[in-house]
């Protein structure tokens, strides 16, 4: 079993994502990686109930894209650093700029911050 969901909405969301990808001919990890590079496809994913920008960025990380999926841990870390509460896209841009300035991979920085904060909660 690849995923274990006990919540009916999560199951419905997973099915809806699968249906959307299947309809667009997405069969492999590489297909999904390329598919996510198109803004129209990312927008189509956002039409699925329960899917937002964080989910899309996280899916991208799973298939080898390097994204920052801003969640509660990354928001807390930013708050601890004095970064104001920003909308998702703006906070993601802050993390992406920090990664660039530090010479780090965006997804690698996101994962490091997530691991750090998840251990402290």
């Amino acid at each position: 079993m690849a995923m274990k969901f006990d919540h009916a909405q999560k199951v419905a969301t997973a099915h809806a994502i699968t249906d959307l990808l299947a309809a667009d001919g997405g069969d492999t990890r590489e297909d999904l990686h390329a598919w996510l590079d198109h803004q129209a496809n990312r927008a189509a994913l956002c039409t699925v109930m329960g899917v937002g920008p964080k989910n899309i960025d996280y899916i991208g990380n799973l298939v080898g894209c390097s994204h920052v999926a801003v969640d509660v841990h990354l928001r807390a870390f930013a708050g601890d650093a004095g970064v104001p509460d920003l909308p998702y896209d703006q906070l993601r841009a802050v993390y992406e700029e920090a990664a660039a300035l530090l010479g780090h991979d965006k997804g690698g920085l996101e994962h490091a911050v997530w691991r750090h904060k998840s251990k402290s909660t």
Side-chain angles (χ1 to χ4, degrees):
M1 175 185 281
M3 297 183 292
K4 181 180 177 185
F5 294 136
D6 294 329
H7 191 274
Q9 183 55 51
K10 289 181 180 181
V11 172
T13 299
H15 281 285
I17 291 170
T18 302
D19 292 344
L20 176 63
L21 296 174
D24 279 353
D27 293 325
T28 67
R29 178 180 183 265
E30 291 77 21
D31 291 342
L32 182 52
H33 187 284
W35 191 84
L36 287 171
D37 282 340
H38 301 283
Q39 193 58 40
N41 295 336
R42 293 172 67 90
L45 267 177
C46 276
T47 66
V48 173
M49 184 174 179
V51 175
K54 180 191 80 148
N55 307 107
I56 295 168
D57 288 334
Y58 183 74
I59 291 168
N61 283 337
L62 292 175
V63 297
C65 301
S66 183
H67 293 290
V68 175
V70 178
D71 69 354
V72 65
H73 297 303
L74 273 74
R75 286 195 175 280
F77 186 85
D80 292 347
V83 176
D85 188 26
L86 298 171
Y88 182 90
D89 289 343
Q90 289 178 5
L91 187 53
R92 181 180 59 205
V94 167
Y95 275 104
E96 290 172 348
E97 181 67 20
L101 290 171
L102 295 169
H104 291 291
D105 174 73
K106 296 179 288 192
L109 177 63
E110 181 249 14
H111 185 68
V113 170
W114 187 91
R115 283 186 51 168
H116 171 73
K117 286 305 287 183
S118 69
K119 289 179 181 178
S120 67
T121 55

